[in-house]
């Protein structure tokens, strides 16, 4: 793999840049916008249940129950667009994925706070492939112990692969900003533990 690891230690994150043309990325954006049953997410913050402005959807090979910030959602069966994109990312990275969490940010004021994707239903240290469609946004990593920050911009149609011990040792976030007025869809392809 020619991509360089953008994390200096304790994890691996590879930025592949744009893997879709602008036109194709916007076409997928529009199709997902209209075919996905977007729902507001619920998160718990300081012990209170908060309904986010950001919307989410959850897909997978099986109706995996995904407990994300204290709510359980059951994965819907893949749509044509999602299967296309999953195959594209699998071919590009050499990884395989069995599920995908989608996020819709209507504008720059919507973001996601510091977290790691290390829920117990996810295979520990399995890779996560993150595809961005629409508005370009900043994305940051913060090391849990040293607090070192690494930031990059996620372009329209771009792919970021988080691998190895990244979720164990680093947090990540999508900071909100007043400088972006356009929507963005992010797809994080994941690997859930499958019951035998
Ligand atoms: O929107 C993004 O780029 C990040 C999404 C994310 O971190 C997540 O869904 O866990
Ligand atoms: Fe995440």
């Amino acid at each position: 793999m020619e991509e360089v690891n953008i994390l200096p230690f304790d994890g691996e994150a590879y930025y592949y840049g744009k893997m879709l043309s602008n036109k194709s990325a916007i076409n997928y954006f529009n199709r997902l916008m209209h075919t996905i049953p977007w729902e507001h997410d619920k998160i718990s913050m300081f012990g209170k249940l908060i309904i986010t402005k950001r919307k989410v959807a959850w897909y997978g090979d099986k109706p995996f129950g995904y407990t994300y910030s204290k709510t359980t959602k059951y994965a819907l069966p893949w749509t044509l667009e999602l299967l296309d994109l999953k195959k594209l990312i699998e071919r590009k990275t050499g990884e395989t994925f069995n599920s995908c969490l989608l996020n819709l940010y209507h504008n720059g004021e919507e973001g996601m706070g510091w977290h790691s994707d290390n829920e117990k239903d996810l295979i520990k240290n399995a890779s996560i492939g993150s595809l961005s469609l629409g508005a370009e946004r900043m994305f940051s990593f913060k090391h849990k112990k040293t607090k070192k920050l690494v930031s990059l911009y996620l372009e329209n149609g771009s792919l970021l692969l988080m691998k190895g011990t990244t979720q164990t040792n680093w947090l990540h976030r999508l900071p909100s900003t007043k400088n972006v007025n356009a929507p963005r869809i992010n797809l994080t392809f994941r690997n859930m533990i499958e019951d035998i």
Side-chain angles (χ1 to χ4, degrees), residues 68 101 103 105 112-113 115-119 128 139 162 167 172-173 186 188 190:
Y68 189 76
L101 182 73
N103 284 290
Y105 307 90
M112 198 182 286
H115 69 281
S116 306
D117 294 307
N118 55 2
E119 291 84 2
I128 295 181
F139 184 85
M162 298 188 268
Q167 307 303 330
H172 56 267
R173 74 164 173 178
N186 175 258
T188 51
R190 298 155 180 254

Side-chain angles (χ1 to χ4, degrees), residues 76-87:
L76 300 171
W78 297 110
T79 65
L80 287 178
E81 289 82 12
L82 290 176
L83 267 188
D84 274 2
L85 293 170
K86 180 167 104 78
K87 281 188 203 138

Side-chain angles (χ1 to χ4, degrees), residues 14 20-21 31 38 65-66 91 105 121 126 147 161 168 172-173 175 178 182:
Y14 300 96
L20 295 171
S21 66
R31 281 155 66 188
W38 296 103
Y66 190 21
R91 230 177 299 139
Y105 307 90
D121 298 332
K147 312 295 176 201
L161 183 70
T168 306
H172 56 267
R173 74 164 173 178
K178 293 228 182 294

